[in-house]
Amino acid sequence: MARRIAIILGHPDAQANHFGRALADAYATGAAQVGHEVKTLTVATLDFSLLRRKEDWENGTPSESIRQAQGMIGWADHLLIVYPLWLGSMPAILKAFLEQVFRPGFAISKSDTGKSWRKLLSGKTARIVVTMGMPAFLYRWYFGAHSLKSLKRNILGFCGIGPISENLIGLVESPNGAKREKWLGKMRALGGAGR
């Protein structure tokens, strides 16, 4: 069954020469080859400001680029989020983007009692791909993969998205071409499967 897939590139450099872009492109190619619909959003090219007050998050008017991003995410059945690990977490621009997009009225809403939140994005699934210079097992087991866990639980899961899968890709600065090709092949296969 064909799926609608939104790819979110969270690298702060909009240039197309990083491995995260290659992974996203491989995923998109695999998805398109079997009939999935794919739209790609590059966060670094969008125009939006930082949220500085709770009132802005709850009641502020999103920029046009954020409204378009919300439209793409609302359209999608499945999200692919790709970002590099920077200082142990996601890049600041991606975090700022997520704060702007996953706001009340789009991703969540207050319950009738006003004491809890309703999840407005239930029924969507996601995959998170994190690239890093360190070995992936070190990030997962020694550092606890805290930024990945936060994205899964505190942002995507809080909005109802699930299940959420992940791929941690370490040592991306290594010149090992065979390892890169293996990962690109895996991303093409995952894109083809729509997961």
Side-chain angles (χ1 to χ4, degrees), residues 13 34 41-42 44 67 90 99 101-102 128 131 134-135 143 148 159 163 167-169 180 182:
D13 184 354
V34 298
L41 181 140
T42 303
R67 284 194 298 275
M90 70 180 72
E99 289 174 358
V101 168
F102 292 101
I128 303 166
T131 61
M134 75 173 82
F143 292 101
L148 173 67
C159 301
N167 296 100
L168 301 178
I169 305 174
R180 285 176 174 253
K182 179 180 175 184

Side-chain angles (χ1 to χ4, degrees), residues 90-189:
M90 70 180 72
I93 194 169
L94 178 58
K95 179 66 165 61
F97 168 78
L98 296 172
E99 289 174 358
Q100 282 279 6
V101 168
F102 292 101
R103 58 169 65 219
F106 171 70
I108 54 176
S109 67
K110 286 279 191 180
S111 68
D112 294 336
T113 64
K115 295 181 180 179
S116 63
W117 292 98
R118 282 196 303 263
K119 302 174 181 203
L120 301 181
L121 299 179
S122 297
K124 299 179 187 300
T125 59
R127 176 170 297 277
I128 303 166
V129 177
V130 185
T131 61
M132 62 197 72
M134 75 173 82
F137 76 88
L138 192 63
Y139 172 66
R140 185 182 297 278
W141 301 113
Y142 183 76
F143 292 101
H146 62 87
S147 74
L148 173 67
K149 290 177 182 176
S150 178
L151 176 55
K152 287 175 74 171
R153 180 184 58 237
N154 302 337
I155 300 174
L156 301 179
F158 185 64
C159 301
I161 298 172
I164 303 164
S165 304
E166 80 260 354
N167 296 100
L168 301 178
I169 305 174
L171 302 173
V172 295
E173 295 166 3
S174 166
N176 186 335
K179 180 181 175 190
R180 285 176 174 253
E181 284 305 315
K182 179 180 175 184
W183 272 111
L184 292 171
K186 182 169 187 164
M187 286 296 113
R188 279 189 291 274

Side-chain angles (χ1 to χ4, degrees), residues 1 5 21 34 53 66 87 90 92 122 132 141 165 169-170 189-190 195:
M1 182 172 137
I5 300 171
R21 167 78 66 176
V34 298
R53 301 178 319 141
I66 293 298
L87 294 176
M90 70 180 72
S122 297
M132 62 197 72
W141 301 113
S165 304
I169 305 174
L190 287 168
R195 55 186 187 90

Side-chain angles (χ1 to χ4, degrees), residues 45-80:
T45 64
L46 303 181
D47 180 31
F48 61 91
S49 60
L50 297 176
L51 289 174
R52 298 180 185 273
R53 301 178 319 141
K54 178 183 176 195
E55 292 79 16
D56 293 337
W57 180 70
E58 289 180 340
N59 302 310
T61 302
S63 69
E64 179 60 26
S65 62
I66 293 298
R67 284 194 298 275
Q68 289 176 4
Q70 289 173 331
M72 189 177 90
I73 291 166
W75 162 87
D77 303 311
H78 181 70
L79 307 177
L80 174 70

